[in-house]
Amino acid sequence: MKMNLLGNGAIAMGAIAAGVKFAAGYPGTPSTEILETLKSSEYSKNIHIEWSANEKAAVEAGAGAAYSGMRTLVTMKQVGLNVASDPVMCLAYIGIKGGMVIAVADDPGPISSQTEQDTRSFGAYAHLTVLDPSSPEEAYKMTKYAFELSEKIGRPVILRPTTKVCHASATVDVSDEIHDYTPEGFVKDPKWVIFPPLSYKRHIENFKMYNSIASEKCKYNNVETVPDTDKGIVTGGVTTAIVTDVLESLGVKVNRLTIGRPYPFPVSETEIFAETAKDILVLEELEPFIEENLQRLIKTPLKGKYSEHVPAAGELKYENIESIICGFLGLQTPETPSAKLNVTLPTRAPVLCAGCPHRASFYAVKLASKGKKAVYCGDIGCYTLGNAKPLETTDTCLCMGGGITVAQGIKTSNPDTDVFAFTGDSTFFASGMTGVANAVYNKHNITICILDNRTTAMTGGQPHPGTGVTITGEETVHIDIAKVLTALDVGFVKECNPFDLENAVKTVTEAALYNGVSAIVFKAPCIAVSKKPCTYEVSDCIGCKRCINELGCPAISLSSGKAVIDPVMCYGCGICETVCKPGKIHKIGGVRS
Amino acid sequence: MNILICGVGGQGTILASKILAESAVIDGSDVARTGETIGMSQRGGSVVSHVRTEKTSSPYIPKGQADLIIAFEKCEAARCLPFLKPSGKAVVSMSEIKPVAVSLGVMAYDSKAMEDYIKSAAESIFLDTDTLAAPFMDGKCTNTLLLGAAFGMGFINISENAIKKAMEKLIKPRFLDVNIKAFEAGIKAVSG
Ligand code: SF4
Ligand code: SF4
């Protein structure tokens, strides 16, 4: 059946065809839609699907299922692999029984990530096969193949799509056949227990096995030789697809080596390619992974990132690739006539939504710390956007859950400063709780602000352990954050509604004065999981711009010097009404509970 | 065809791109591709969807090769014009969504200059979508309305039947009717 699928959807459909029975992951752009597609499919009832508390939990739970013979899919974004790296590294030694595919989405650019790390390098480091699809169609086929390969070699396989495969759609031929099998169940065996002598043995086995796979041909590596030229281009991932379009439009043919299985790096395909190709350009995003491996196998100096023919970082777009290829082939880069921008356009950076409760929480903390020395340690989520003007309440952001712990070091080295750590509810469960234990245990005098908006907002609104529902919509326990904080012996724990500004400021002031670890749970839902109660409008604005300068709500703009509220965008949070000292902002319709 | 759909995160550009890809396939295209902006930019940043209905390997439209731009916001239309072919068309919403930095006075939003630039570079039509789309779920059907306008102008070589079938497939039944009406209102807005 022909289906238009996002790359992520194609991976989900590939996993279904392969007979996946256990699927777990933690949301992260650009990987999130894999599990979401799985959940919405008609086959979902035969699969255990879960949003795990974090990526490490997902891999470990997945390992248990795969030990028992279930075909298992685990999904995450590249930085999630850092969180899961402990079980993944060990699993490369222990191995699995049921095929296990770890789908890790990389993000060249980066577009929505903290780093531009390259999972191909991680695969080589861990000794795990890496498959790198160039399109949604290929992602579909590769996913099925990844399960088969994993089962055959008894090791997990990493599938590494990048953003431009995950979030591109194509018409994919999806088969109705589903691999049918009965998992054997867990069979006790000393091989499931990692011990130094076993690890030593496995290290040798792995080295030999991947070395021999490197020499086996793989249908996802491709060589095309053109006898009348010695020019050759090597590519992987989406760059392969773009290079095909570029060469077609230039009307030229060169020798090509396409790497769909970057680790173990293909030896025989490289040999065939190098017989004809003597002047070689390597085009790839992220790390010079292909380049380094190719240079290990062939003597000719390559043109790539080290020779500065290809940029070290960022995405490779059509225009970049075209000009690099033209330079390489000694051709004039074609001039495509197109409109030249002749107006100065304002940039449009992402912002907290109109009505976002985080705006109110940040504003309350800002008011409470006015005139005092204060540092605001942020974290990963929509609330990282608290860094922008006019709120400017995010001074640091490092990694998931890092805000709470970074705050502790800052407080120690700046004892005269009030230090606030901001963490979202999903981030708190993913990797914030350990930081709280550290703060309590080591007596760090900080204030933790949990922005509890009842969803994992940045990735599009996934449930988490604090929401009371699972990915499939089934009801479950709702873990109470304030109770967790109290159980961790945080001395001051209070919940408050950030939209009740006066009370919120009072609570923050108390918390900051508390000597020891204090915590405030700001409770108000994300606009994506709540109903719009009403809208607000401005009448007889005196043009003081206080609402704009204090809040930066995107629904409020200036027209002829007066504030106006866009009625469609306004989400009726009412915070601007509180901020408008002259009292010119009013509610229209509805009731705000 | 190469179609670029642009706007501000949250405006519903992705549904429009899905409808176009789906309807192209219904009309017999072998492969339709789209390239979406999903992630941080969806929080009010600039978003672009590329749609290609003929056989290519990559979903991304090179600069100067789009046949049509469908813009949900004026400034975003101007930003994407370098993607348009010299003879290209543009269906542009008159809607102005000023970035927060503009309200704060850090940057300027020169509406007139943007409009002149768009008119100089494309065969363009401007629509007051704030008013036109208001009757359809408070403006939430701006996407299907703009599709209707582009179709009504004859800028999309996909059949009306295929577009409606694609909408049936992609839109939840309870929102289908109002979206079909918005699509038809789009056609009507540009006829005569
Ligand atoms: S999606 Fe929710 S949490 Fe994110 S900025 Fe918008 S309202 Fe805030
Ligand atoms: S009530 Fe005011 S601050 Fe809240 S969303 Fe509407 S305009 Fe923005």
Side-chain angles (χ1 to χ4, degrees):
Chain A
M1 187 183 34
K2 271 186 163 192
M3 285 175 89
N4 281 330
L5 292 172
L6 278 186
N8 282 342
I11 293 170
M13 296 313 287
I16 288 171
V20 69
K21 290 200 191 290
F22 189 101
Y26 184 76
T29 312
S31 70
T32 314
E33 300 79 11
I34 305 175
L35 282 198
E36 291 189 327
T37 310
L38 217 53
K39 168 201 82 175
S40 336
S41 110
E42 52 181 307
Y43 304 101
S44 64
K45 55 185 183 309
N46 305 321
I47 309 168
H48 170 88
I49 311 173
E50 68 171 47
W51 283 128
S52 304
N54 68 13
E55 295 84 353
K56 176 170 147 66
V59 169
E60 291 157 350
Y67 292 168
S68 311
M70 281 188 165
R71 287 198 167 180
T72 299
L73 175 70
V74 183
T75 73
M76 66 196 73
K77 68 182 296 179
Q78 86 287 40
V79 285
L81 182 57
N82 302 339
V83 178
S85 64
D86 196 359
V88 171
M89 292 298 292
C90 299
L91 210 50
Y93 284 70
I94 286 289
I96 41 73
K97 184 160 64 187
M100 180 173 189
V101 176
I102 307 176
V104 185
D106 282 352
D107 186 24
I111 302 169
S112 300
S113 301
Q114 302 92 293
T115 69
E116 260 206 311
Q117 67 192 68
D118 192 322
T119 299
R120 296 175 302 171
S121 310
F122 189 101
Y125 166 61
H127 286 306
L128 287 172
T129 309
V130 181
L131 298 173
D132 184 9
S134 63
S135 65
E137 301 95 304
E138 196 174 49
Y140 174 74
K141 291 188 207 141
M142 252 187 198
T143 307
K144 287 205 277 186
Y145 169 72
F147 278 100
E148 288 154 20
L149 178 68
S150 164
E151 219 156 79
K152 189 174 136 212
I153 63 175
R155 298 289 183 276
V157 167
I158 293 178
L159 180 76
R160 187 226 45 162
T162 56
T163 308
K164 293 212 150 158
V165 172
C166 295
H167 289 166
S169 82
T171 317
V172 181
D173 223 330
V174 175
S175 93
D176 313 321
E177 262 171 63
I178 293 180
H179 175 68
D180 189 29
Y181 65 105
T182 309
E184 194 186 2
F186 185 71
V187 180
K188 293 191 187 196
D189 189 311
K191 74 177 182 184
W192 301 124
V193 183
I194 198 162
F195 261 126
L198 176 66
S199 303
Y200 172 74
K201 222 177 93 208
R202 283 288 162 81
H203 195 180
I204 298 173
E205 274 173 36
N206 279 351
F207 193 86
K208 284 194 181 146
M209 176 176 75
Y210 288 112
N211 214 11
S212 103
I213 295 176
S215 305
E216 287 166 22
K217 282 205 174 138
C218 167
K219 58 183 164 188
Y220 295 107
N221 298 322
N222 197 28
V223 195
E224 265 175 66
T225 49
V226 181
D228 53 359
T229 173
D230 69 347
K231 301 268 185 193
I233 297 181
V234 191
T235 54
V238 72
T239 307
T240 296
I242 303 177
V243 167
T244 303
D245 283 351
V246 169
L247 291 175
E248 214 155 89
S249 101
L250 292 172
V252 288
K253 279 205 153 83
V254 296
N255 298 290
R256 289 191 67 179
L257 172 62
T258 304
I259 311 284
R261 189 202 65 204
Y263 183 82
F265 195 80
V267 174
S268 45
E269 289 92 336
T270 300
E271 279 166 0
I272 304 169
F273 173 74
E275 273 168 29
T276 340
K278 302 292 172 200
D279 185 10
I280 299 168
L281 171 69
V282 184
L283 280 161
E284 63 190 315
E285 295 178 317
L286 305 177
E287 295 300 315
F289 183 84
I290 296 178
E291 194 177 333
E292 283 173 6
N293 279 281
L294 201 62
Q295 197 69 87
R296 183 167 55 81
L297 298 173
I298 57 180
K299 297 284 159 293
T300 340
L302 301 173
K303 293 181 173 144
K305 297 198 184 230
Y306 287 109
S307 65
E308 295 184 11
H309 287 86
V310 179
E315 293 175 86
L316 283 178
K317 299 193 173 161
Y318 186 97
E319 291 74 18
N320 309 110
I321 292 176
E322 182 181 58
S323 92
I324 297 168
I325 291 182
C326 287
F328 172 62
L329 298 176
L331 302 171
Q332 191 75 30
T333 309
E335 278 275 338
T336 329
S338 70
K340 297 283 169 284
L341 215 57
N342 62 4
V343 278
T344 322
L345 300 175
T347 49
R348 194 185 295 277
V351 283
L352 293 173
C353 301
C356 175
H358 299 334
R359 178 173 291 104
S361 305
F362 282 128
Y363 189 58
V365 174
K366 205 173 158 179
L367 286 184
S369 49
K370 208 170 197 168
K372 292 196 217 155
K373 276 176 95 172
V375 172
Y376 310 110
C377 298
D379 217 300
I380 308 292
C382 284
Y383 52 98
T384 316
L385 299 171
N387 74 324
K389 276 184 195 322
L391 288 171
E392 296 179 297
T393 36
T394 301
D395 298 315
T396 71
C397 178
L398 185 66
C399 60
M400 282 288 285
I404 295 176
T405 13
V406 167
Q408 299 166 29
I410 293 192
K411 178 68 186 178
T412 308
S413 37
N414 303 269
D416 61 337
T417 304
D418 284 347
V419 185
F420 296 90
F422 294 91
T423 301
D425 41 357
S426 186
T427 308
F428 175 76
F429 288 111
S431 48
M433 294 185 290
T434 333
V436 178
N438 194 65
V440 173
Y441 172 56
N442 290 307
K443 301 187 184 176
H444 290 290
N445 186 8
I446 59 162
T447 301
I448 299 165
C449 304
I450 311 284
L451 306 173
D452 183 3
N453 63 358
R454 310 212 50 81
T455 188
T456 316
M458 182 46 108
T459 43
Q462 291 72 32
H464 60 68
T467 57
V469 280
T470 69
I471 184 172
T472 54
E474 198 183 316
E475 263 182 53
T476 180
V477 177
H478 139 234
I479 305 177
D480 188 310
I481 297 179
K483 280 194 195 154
V484 174
L485 292 164
T486 308
L488 285 169
D489 269 330
V490 174
F492 176 110
V493 180
K494 274 201 177 164
E495 293 183 337
C496 79
N497 172 6
F499 292 120
D500 179 355
L501 196 60
E502 201 183 316
N503 179 52
V505 174
K506 197 173 129 254
T507 312
V508 178
T509 311
E510 270 175 61
L513 285 172
Y514 181 82
N515 190 15
V517 182
S518 55
I520 306 155
V521 186
F522 288 105
K523 292 182 86 152
C526 165
I527 67 161
V529 293
S530 63
K531 276 223 159 69
K532 173 168 168 167
C534 57
T535 41
Y536 281 76
E537 71 177 355
V538 192
S539 47
D540 307 321
C541 173
I542 62 160
C544 69
K545 298 191 209 161
R546 202 177 131 83
C547 56
I548 291 173
N549 293 337
E550 295 286 296
L551 298 172
C553 170
I556 314 178
S557 61
L558 266 187
S559 174
S560 323
K562 309 216 166 194
V564 283
I565 292 178
D566 178 326
V568 175
M569 237 201 263
C570 168
Y571 217 75
C573 75
I575 191 88
C576 56
E577 185 189 29
T578 320
V579 167
C580 177
K581 287 238 166 103
K584 303 295 181 193
I585 298 181
H586 308 283
K587 180 163 77 180
I588 34 174
V591 239
R592 169 124 217 145
S593 54
Chain B
M1 266 193 107
N2 287 336
I3 306 169
L4 205 100
I5 304 170
C6 60
V8 176
Q11 281 189 303
T13 46
I14 296 178
L15 177 66
S17 112
K18 276 190 180 167
I19 293 173
L20 286 174
E22 194 72 42
S23 54
V25 173
I26 294 174
D27 256 357
S29 166
D30 262 350
V31 187
R33 293 188 188 279
T34 71
E36 308 290 359
T37 316
I38 302 174
M40 194 113 173
S41 303
Q42 283 175 299
R43 302 283 163 272
S46 305
V47 292
V48 181
S49 295
H50 296 234
V51 184
R52 312 185 83 176
T53 62
E54 277 140 39
K55 203 174 159 1
T56 59
S57 294
S58 131
Y60 297 95
I61 305 170
K63 292 228 167 88
Q65 292 192 29
D67 301 291
L68 168 65
I69 290 181
I70 301 177
F72 286 49
E73 201 270 352
K74 203 188 283 172
C75 169
E76 297 313 312
R79 205 187 303 285
C80 285
L81 275 184
F83 282 95
L84 199 65
K85 272 184 183 163
S87 56
K89 324 269 193 256
V91 175
V92 182
S93 160
M94 295 283 271
S95 153
E96 291 177 10
I97 301 176
K98 292 183 186 144
V100 172
V102 170
S103 308
L104 289 169
V106 186
M107 289 185 298
Y109 189 107
D110 189 341
S111 179
K112 172 87 176 40
M114 289 175 200
E115 218 170 298
D116 291 346
Y117 167 53
I118 297 167
K119 283 181 185 153
S120 76
E123 183 187 334
S124 48
I125 171 150
F126 288 82
L127 292 164
D128 176 9
T129 51
D130 289 347
T131 310
L132 287 168
F136 309 104
M137 290 200 301
D138 249 359
K140 285 202 187 64
C141 303
T142 304
N143 43 19
T144 36
L145 184 122
L146 281 167
L147 280 186
F151 176 80
M153 290 297 292
F155 292 167
I156 305 177
N157 62 2
I158 300 174
S159 70
E160 183 169 350
N161 184 32
I163 296 176
K164 287 188 172 162
K165 267 197 188 151
M167 284 168 64
E168 249 167 65
K169 191 164 168 195
L170 295 164
I171 299 172
K172 283 197 188 124
R174 68 191 156 112
F175 299 130
L176 181 63
D177 203 40
V178 60
N179 274 286
I180 299 263
K181 288 205 175 99
F183 176 77
E184 281 163 357
I187 300 179
K188 198 163 153 246
V190 298
S191 66

